[in-house]
Amino acid sequence: MSEGPSTTSVHGGGHFDPAVGAASSPIYRTSTFRFATTDDLLAAARGERPGFYTRHGHPNFAAVEAKFAALHGAEAAVLFASGTAAFAGVIQALVSSGDRIVALADLYGGTRVLLGECARRFGVRVEYVPLAELGRLDRALVGARLLVAEGPTNPMLRVVDVAALAAAAHAAGAALVFDNTFATPVLQRPLALGADLVWESATKALGGHSDLLGGLVAGRAELVERVRTARKVWGAVADPETAWLLERGMKTLVARLARQSETAAALARWLEAHPGVARVWYPGLPSHPDHALARRLLGSGGAVVTFACRGGHAAARALADRVRLVGNAPSLGGVESLLSLPVLTSHAYLTPDERAACGVTDDLVRLSVGLEELADLEADLDQAMGASR
Ligand SMILES: Cc1ncc(COP(=O)(O)O)c(C=O)c1O
C-alpha cells in the first residue's frame, strides 16, 4: 500500500466500468458465468480469467478482497459469508484431525465454541492459555499447528503483542492466526507484525452499518489460496449484493473509525467519572491494563468501551432495558451505538469458569460507539443509569 489508508479504503479494489463510466462498481447478480467456447470455460475453471461459478469466485467478491488485502498490505484475501465462516475456512484449510491448536483464552465466545466443536467432533486438540499465564505459551506451543489470538479482545479490549506471539508461534513451527475484528486495518495490521493470517468479521466495522454479515481472511497468496479452496469445498460463500454493500461500507471505514474512536474516548472518560459505573476498560485510558501497548500498537483506543455497573448484573440489565438511543443488540461496529451484556450474548455459551478466565463478569456492558453526538449518548446513558440507581 503506497498511498494512505483513507485513499486505499475508498479506491482499493474498485473496478471502473469503461462501458458506461459508472462511478461505483456494478453488481453482477449472477450465480454462474457463460462462455463462448469450452476452451474459455476450462480457462476460467483454471482461474486464468475471472468468473466461472460464484462459489469459486466473483467480481464483487474480488473487489472487496482486493480492498481488504490492500488495507492489510497482504498479497491476497478471501471473502466468506460471515466472520465465523472465515475462521472456519482457516481451520478447514490448515488443520487436520489429531493436530493441536493453542489459543489465547481471551477470544470472542463464538470462536471458542467453534474450537470446542473441532475438539469434540473432529479430533483436534485445543489448549487455552490465559493472558495472565503467557509465561507458559512457549511450552504449550510445542507440536502445535496454530496459535489463535485476537486483539483488542471481545469484550475486555485486551491488547496483545502480535509480534511477540508471532515469534513464539514461529519458533515452534506454528502459524499465528489473528482475529483483528476490533482493530480493523486502520488501527492494527497484524501481518506486518508477523501474523500468518489475519481475519475479521466484516459484519462489524468493515461493513459498518449493521446491515450485512461477512468475513475476510488475508495473508500470503499461498496460504490464502488454501483458505479459498476451503471456501469452495465447504461452500460458505457471501452473495454479490452483500459484497457490494461491504465494498461501499469499507469506503468510509477510516473516517467512521476516526470519529467513533474520538467519541468513544470521550465517553470512556465520562463513564469513568459516572457514579453508576464501577470500572471502565478502554485501551485509550491510562487505567486500562494494556494502555502502554495500545499506545504503541493501535495509536487510538478504538470505538468500543466496556464497563462494569455498580449494582452488578441487575444494574447492567436495567441499563440495557432503559436505553432509548443506544440499541440493546448483540453486535458492534455500526454507525449506530449498540450495547450488549457479554454474559448473555458474546460469551453466553462459555462456562462460568471459562468466562472468569478471560475476566468476563455478569456486571459488564460492552458499548459499541456509533456516529451520534457525544452529548446525546451521554444523556441517554445517564437517564438509563440514573433510573437504575
Ligand atoms: C471479535 C469477533 N470475532 C468474530 C466474530 C464473529 O463474526 P460473525 O458474527 O460475522 O460470524 C465476532 C462477532 O461478534 C466478534 O466479535
Side-chain angles (χ1 to χ4, degrees), residues 65-274:
E65 290 163 350
K67 197 185 285 294
F68 188 68
L71 284 166
H72 271 291
E75 287 175 6
V78 55
L79 174 69
F80 281 85
S82 69
T84 303
F87 181 61
V90 171
I91 300 289
Q92 288 151 358
L94 303 185
V95 178
S96 302
S97 164
D99 281 350
R100 237 163 55 72
I101 297 177
V102 174
L104 299 192
D106 281 60
L107 291 178
Y108 162 61
T111 304
R112 291 191 52 147
V113 170
L114 194 153
L115 288 172
E117 284 288 288
C118 292
R120 261 188 307 282
R121 313 258 323 276
F122 303 115
V124 174
R125 289 167 298 151
V126 181
E127 179 176 353
Y128 287 103
V129 177
L131 284 176
E133 296 171 26
L134 275 185
R136 68 176 174 85
L137 182 65
D138 288 345
R139 208 168 355 108
L141 278 169
V142 174
R145 173 81 55 192
L146 292 187
L147 173 58
V148 171
E150 169 183 319
T153 61
N154 182 355
M156 306 315 295
L157 308 173
R158 298 298 307 269
V159 183
V160 296
D161 188 338
V162 183
L165 293 178
H170 296 161
L176 174 61
V177 172
F178 197 85
D179 180 349
N180 202 51
T181 299
F182 274 45
T184 81
V186 180
L187 298 191
Q188 176 167 266
R189 294 167 68 205
L191 298 172
L193 300 170
D196 297 277
L197 287 173
V198 62
W199 68 281
E200 292 179 23
S201 166
T203 315
K204 316 300 182 203
L206 293 178
H209 295 74
S210 305
D211 55 8
L212 61 87
L213 270 93
L216 281 152
V217 181
R220 289 192 304 281
E222 169 267 324
L223 274 182
V224 171
E225 266 327 294
R226 289 165 66 186
V227 181
R228 189 184 302 282
T229 299
R231 182 185 72 183
K232 184 170 77 180
V233 171
W234 296 82
V237 262
D239 70 88
E241 267 160 16
T242 299
W244 184 90
L245 261 186
L246 177 55
E247 184 192 351
R248 187 169 80 157
M250 286 171 75
K251 289 181 183 178
T252 54
L253 172 68
V254 177
R256 278 188 283 109
L257 218 70
R259 166 71 191 258
Q260 289 172 231
S261 301
E262 201 181 299
T263 310
L267 258 187
R269 287 192 295 274
W270 179 84
L271 284 164
E272 222 168 24
H274 197 283

Side-chain angles (χ1 to χ4, degrees), residues 10 29 32 37 126 172 209 213 229 255 280 288 298 321 332 353:
V10 175
R29 182 144 251 330
T32 192
T37 68
V126 181
H209 295 74
L213 270 93
T229 299
V280 176
H288 191 277
L298 309 178
D321 287 345
L332 59 118
D353 281 352

